[in-house]
Amino acid sequence: MAAGARRLCVFCGAKSGDDPRWVVGAYAFGEALARRGWSLVYGGGGVGLMGALADGALAAGGDVVGVIPHRLLARELAHRRLHQLEVVEDMAQRKLRMIAVADAFAALPGGLGTLDELFEVLTLRQIGEHAKPAALYNQDGYWDAMLAACRGMVRAGFVHARDLDPLICEPTIDAVLDALERALARPAAA
């Protein structure tokens, strides 16, 4: 990783989804963060939105680090043009490693793995393991239903609003990255 560069860990789908707009959005997200001089940390995949994200960052001259479990590496799902590819034992270690090296987090559209990674970050923040900002790129309202479910958990008394309120949710790439920059500039996010 480039010395002094902010490291944004991005969670997103290993599949492309049923609409090409998701791939276009992931590629554009990778380009945008690289143009800001941020390093990308992600799951190391070369397929789906993960591959498009990394390709966008690489095309814009960005520094890209992947973290992938042995099992997925063996299935040849790893991106082959990354600056650094860390191979770990399993999915749990992948999450821990990505969380440890990142300054902030963003989630793009994805499936169960993306939700798992996002909620791990939010839960660890909730219990005080870190104070790093997290954001959703709410492309075309993708995260609306999940956010509604989370607000329902708050209303039902299972989640404190203070644990959900810091989650940034923006409909455009620039708004997500701007909000993360502001959050990182605050002393509590250090």
Side-chain angles (χ1 to χ4, degrees):
M1 282 182 238
R6 288 193 170 133
R7 295 160 300 197
L8 180 63
C9 178
V10 179
F11 307 126
C12 61
K15 295 180 182 170
S16 296
D18 292 334
D19 190 319
R21 66 185 165 163
W22 307 124
V23 174
V24 170
Y27 187 93
F29 197 96
E31 282 183 316
L33 74 92
R35 286 191 182 123
R36 289 181 186 232
W38 291 27
S39 293
L40 169 63
V41 176
Y42 84 115
V47 295
L49 297 193
M50 287 200 301
L53 171 73
D55 288 343
L58 290 166
D63 185 55
V64 182
V65 176
V67 182
I68 194 164
H70 283 287
R71 186 177 190 137
L72 295 182
L73 181 69
R75 290 172 35 186
E76 298 185 339
L77 298 178
H79 199 294
R80 298 296 179 192
R81 296 186 298 116
L82 305 181
H83 296 100
Q84 181 180 341
L85 182 65
E86 294 186 29
V87 181
V88 296
E89 188 61 33
D90 56 31
M91 296 293 277
Q93 287 183 358
R94 175 201 233 175
K95 284 187 295 187
L96 291 174
R97 180 66 181 144
M98 291 191 302
I99 291 168
V101 301
D103 297 310
F105 308 93
L108 279 56
L112 298 176
T114 303
L115 287 173
D116 175 50
E117 292 162 335
L118 173 66
F119 282 110
E120 177 96 5
V121 165
L122 297 178
T123 300
L124 291 175
R125 182 180 171 108
Q126 177 186 31
I127 63 172
E129 293 289 323
H130 71 82
K132 300 173 184 179
L136 301 172
Y137 171 33
N138 198 20
Q139 181 184 1
D140 297 317
Y142 183 82
W143 294 109
D144 289 349
M146 189 220 43
L147 289 169
C150 289
R151 286 190 287 273
M153 293 175 205
V154 171
R155 284 191 302 277
F158 290 104
V159 176
H160 291 289
R162 70 176 176 263
D163 295 322
L164 188 59
D165 290 344
L167 179 60
I168 296 162
C169 182
E170 295 290 348
T172 68
I173 295 166
D174 283 335
V176 168
L177 296 176
D178 289 345
L180 285 170
E181 284 180 348
R182 286 190 302 273
L184 285 167
R186 291 192 289 270

